[in-house]
């Protein structure tokens, strides 16, 4: 090995842990943390600073205020980026590619048409809610809403009703899955901060989201008894849609016209494949002794990175190759999936920096000790903090990564089991579901495409997301009891 490289590696290994130059008291550390969060919210809400830049700037200021040596500040920043992105970047990128392949192949429309034909026109809202549940697993929330808009508009025209009648329950369950089920960025980032098991999170959160789908439909059906004003622009678009628009391929390359849209069974297979693979691996690692050869096999097969890579490979052969897409077309589709997630990845990275600064400065430990004195369970605090941050600044991802950063020390030092840590992460995820309003980009996506006024959006969408968030937390707390969380 090169002597210089060897010397650098030895020096890095022998480097002492970074600590504040001056040990500050708990009250002052908590004041610095509160001031940092307040500044973060002001930058994002009042001055419209992009969340990545705001998180990074506030992290540096908090580190300086907490007396982390100036020479070590950017080492802490680098550590925060590396520890977070190493766990989540590949998951988010592969999930985005899989979702993009399904989207542009026309698979979403095929799935929607299949469910509506099976359940009948009178049960369109139920069908679209079921479609939303499946589509939301691999596809980002805003993308799913936009892709399904043509189906919503077409049925709204046929039934001569407001698009919100069909869109509201569907969007409700889609957002529920977006905040709580991997491979979506917020929940994956939270799992990465706590070192939680992605497989356990997927299993528990999907089970919880099933009754939330029924609740979304029921609550939305009550809300939809009232008539809402349909904005003129959306009204004109709805009138342009007819039943012939229910299925569209969504890809303009020559391969798009080669064959019909993919069958719904194929799309359900592609969505389910990585989930089943992860769950099989998780079950294997829970039932096989760690010194057994097959434990390693189960761990490898169930690794979320590998499961999503396999799913992307399957989508390449089952969608691109079978639909005669050229390699250039397919490459462009893969490439097109990545730019939209760049901002999300940067926010996740900056959230990791914020968490690392809080840990290194001692703020995390101070907060942990303070929370212990309050007597509130960490799962309740995680939900409340995440809900408050969500309401204040809008981004579910920012709410999750900030909350997990704040509670890292409390969770890491609490002696929780892997199942309990997974449930805590899910509770934080559901905290970021509620109170979606004007600070949330998803709020504007819903009211813009479904033709609601802001006032009606607050009465419907904000109320629905809050009910779903609270219900999700209640069900998560039941899971908390089942995994022995009350013993802490």
């Amino acid at each position: 090995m090169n002597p210089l490289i060897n010397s650098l590696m030895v020096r890095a290994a022998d480097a002492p842990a970074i600590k504040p130059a001056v040990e500050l008291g708990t009250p002052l550390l908590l004041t610095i943390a509160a001031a940092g969060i307040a500044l973060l919210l002001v930058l994002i809400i009042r001055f419209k600073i992009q969340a990545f830049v705001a998180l990074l700037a506030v992290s540096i200021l908090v580190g300086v205020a907490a007396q982390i040596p100036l020479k070590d500040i950017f080492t802490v920043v680098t550590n925060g980026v590396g520890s977070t992105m190493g766990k989540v970047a590949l998951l988010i990128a592969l999930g985005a590619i899989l979702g993009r392949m399904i989207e542009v192949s026309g698979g979403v429309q095929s799935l929607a048409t299949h469910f509506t034909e099976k359940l009948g026109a009178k049960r369109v809202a139920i069908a679209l809610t079921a479609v939303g549940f499946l589509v939301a697993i691999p596809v980002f929330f805003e993308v799913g809403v936009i892709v399904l808009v043509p189906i919503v508009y077409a049925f709204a025209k046929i039934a001569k009703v407001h698009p919100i009648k069909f869109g509201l329950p569907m969007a409700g369950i889609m957002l529920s899955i977006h905040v709580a089920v991997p491979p979506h960025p917020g929940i994956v980032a939270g799992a990465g901060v706590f070192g939680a098991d992605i497989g356990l999170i997927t299993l528990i959160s999907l089970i919880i989201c099933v009754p939330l789908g029924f609740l979304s439909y029921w609550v939305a059906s009550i809300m939809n008894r009232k008539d809402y004003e349909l904005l003129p622009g959306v009204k004109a678009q709805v009138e342009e849609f007819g039943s012939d628009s229910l299925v569209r391929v969504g890809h303009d390359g020559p391969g798009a016209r080669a064959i019909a849209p993919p069958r719904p069974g194929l799309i359900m297979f592609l969505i389910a494949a990585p989930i089943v693979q992860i769950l099989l691996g998780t079950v294997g690692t829970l039932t096989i002794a760690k010194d057994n050869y097959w434990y390693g096999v189960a761990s490898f097969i169930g690794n979320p990175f590998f499961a999503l890579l396999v799913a992307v490979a399957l989508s390449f052969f089952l969608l691109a190759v079978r639909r005669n897409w050229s390699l250039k077309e397919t490459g462009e589709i893969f490439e097109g999936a990545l730019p939209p997630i760049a901002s999300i990845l940067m926010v996740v990275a900056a959230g990791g920096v914020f968490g690392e600064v809080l840990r290194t400065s001692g703020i995390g430990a101070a907060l942990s000790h303070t929370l212990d004195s309050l007597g509130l369970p960490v799962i309740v605090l995680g939900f409340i903090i995440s809900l408050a941050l969500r309401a204040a600044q809008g981004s579910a991802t920012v709410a999750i990564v900030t909350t997990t950063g704040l509670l890292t020390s409390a969770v890491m030092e609490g002696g929780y089991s892997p199942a309990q840590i997974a449930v805590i992460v899910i509770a934080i995820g559901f905290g970021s579901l509620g109170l979606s309003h004007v600070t949330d980009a998803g709020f504007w996506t819903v009211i813009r495409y479904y033709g609601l006024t802001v006032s009606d959006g607050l009465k419907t969408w904000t109320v629905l997301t809050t009910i779903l968030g609270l219900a999700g937390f209640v069900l998560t707390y039941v899971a908390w009891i089942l995994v022995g969380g009350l013993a802490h």
Side-chain angles (χ1 to χ4, degrees), residues 274-367:
I275 297 172
V276 172
Q277 188 174 333
I278 291 170
L279 295 183
L280 285 174
T282 300
V283 170
T285 56
L286 292 174
T287 56
I288 301 172
K290 288 189 176 182
D291 57 354
N292 190 304
Y293 168 79
W294 293 104
Y295 178 91
V297 173
S299 179
F300 177 79
I301 291 174
N303 187 287
F305 296 138
F306 182 60
L308 278 170
L309 185 61
V310 170
V312 169
L314 287 172
S315 74
F316 174 79
F317 289 104
L318 298 177
L319 293 178
V321 173
R322 291 180 62 182
R323 300 175 66 75
N324 298 325
W325 292 351
S326 67
L327 292 177
K328 181 175 181 294
E329 277 184 282
T330 307
E332 289 173 353
I333 293 170
F334 276 41
E335 189 75 24
L338 300 179
I341 66 170
S343 176
I344 294 172
L345 287 172
M346 292 299 96
V347 169
V348 170
V353 172
F354 188 56
E356 184 70 14
V357 167
L358 293 175
R359 185 193 64 78
T360 304
S361 65
I363 291 174
L367 181 63

Side-chain angles (χ1 to χ4, degrees), residues 82-336:
S83 63
T84 303
M85 296 299 280
K87 298 172 184 174
V88 307
L90 292 178
L91 280 180
I92 295 172
L94 289 170
I97 291 172
L98 177 61
R100 181 67 174 163
M101 288 290 284
I102 292 172
E103 174 197 346
V104 301
S105 69
V108 173
Q109 287 78 15
S110 176
L111 203 60
T113 303
H114 170 76
F115 274 86
T116 51
E117 287 177 350
K118 290 294 182 182
L119 293 173
K122 293 182 179 180
R123 299 186 181 89
V124 168
I126 299 175
L128 290 180
T129 303
V131 171
F133 187 103
L134 293 173
V135 168
I137 295 172
V139 177
F140 286 178
F141 170 70
E142 286 86 354
V143 174
V145 170
I146 294 168
V147 167
L148 288 170
V149 156
I151 292 97
V152 172
Y153 284 4
F155 280 117
K157 179 179 180 180
I158 294 169
K160 298 181 181 179
V161 297
H162 197 297
I164 199 67
K165 305 284 185 182
F166 300 130
L168 186 61
M170 178 189 73
I173 190 56
M174 289 178 73
L175 186 60
S176 300
I177 288 176
H178 181 82
V179 302
V181 180
H184 291 293
I187 197 72
V188 169
V193 172
F194 286 167
D197 188 308
I198 293 289
L200 284 174
I201 292 175
T202 303
L203 175 61
I204 297 169
S205 60
L206 277 176
I207 292 173
I208 291 172
C209 282
V210 170
L212 289 186
F214 290 99
L215 180 64
S216 181
Y217 172 76
W218 180 68
V219 173
S221 65
I222 294 174
M223 292 178 172
N224 284 331
R225 292 172 185 171
K226 177 184 176 182
D227 291 327
Y228 300 100
E229 176 187 351
L230 179 58
L231 297 181
V234 174
K235 184 178 181 180
Q237 292 181 56
V238 170
E239 291 174 351
E240 294 175 0
F241 282 85
S243 56
D244 291 339
S245 302
L246 296 184
V247 180
R248 65 180 180 83
V249 170
H251 178 57
D252 296 327
R257 294 182 290 276
I259 56 176
R263 294 181 178 180
L266 173 59
I267 301 303
M268 287 188 278
F269 168 74
L270 289 174
I271 293 172
I275 297 172
V276 172
Q277 188 174 333
I278 291 170
L279 295 183
L280 285 174
T282 300
V283 170
T285 56
L286 292 174
T287 56
I288 301 172
K290 288 189 176 182
D291 57 354
N292 190 304
Y293 168 79
W294 293 104
Y295 178 91
V297 173
S299 179
F300 177 79
I301 291 174
N303 187 287
F305 296 138
F306 182 60
L308 278 170
L309 185 61
V310 170
V312 169
L314 287 172
S315 74
F316 174 79
F317 289 104
L318 298 177
L319 293 178
V321 173
R322 291 180 62 182
R323 300 175 66 75
N324 298 325
W325 292 351
S326 67
L327 292 177
K328 181 175 181 294
E329 277 184 282
T330 307
E332 289 173 353
I333 293 170
F334 276 41
E335 189 75 24

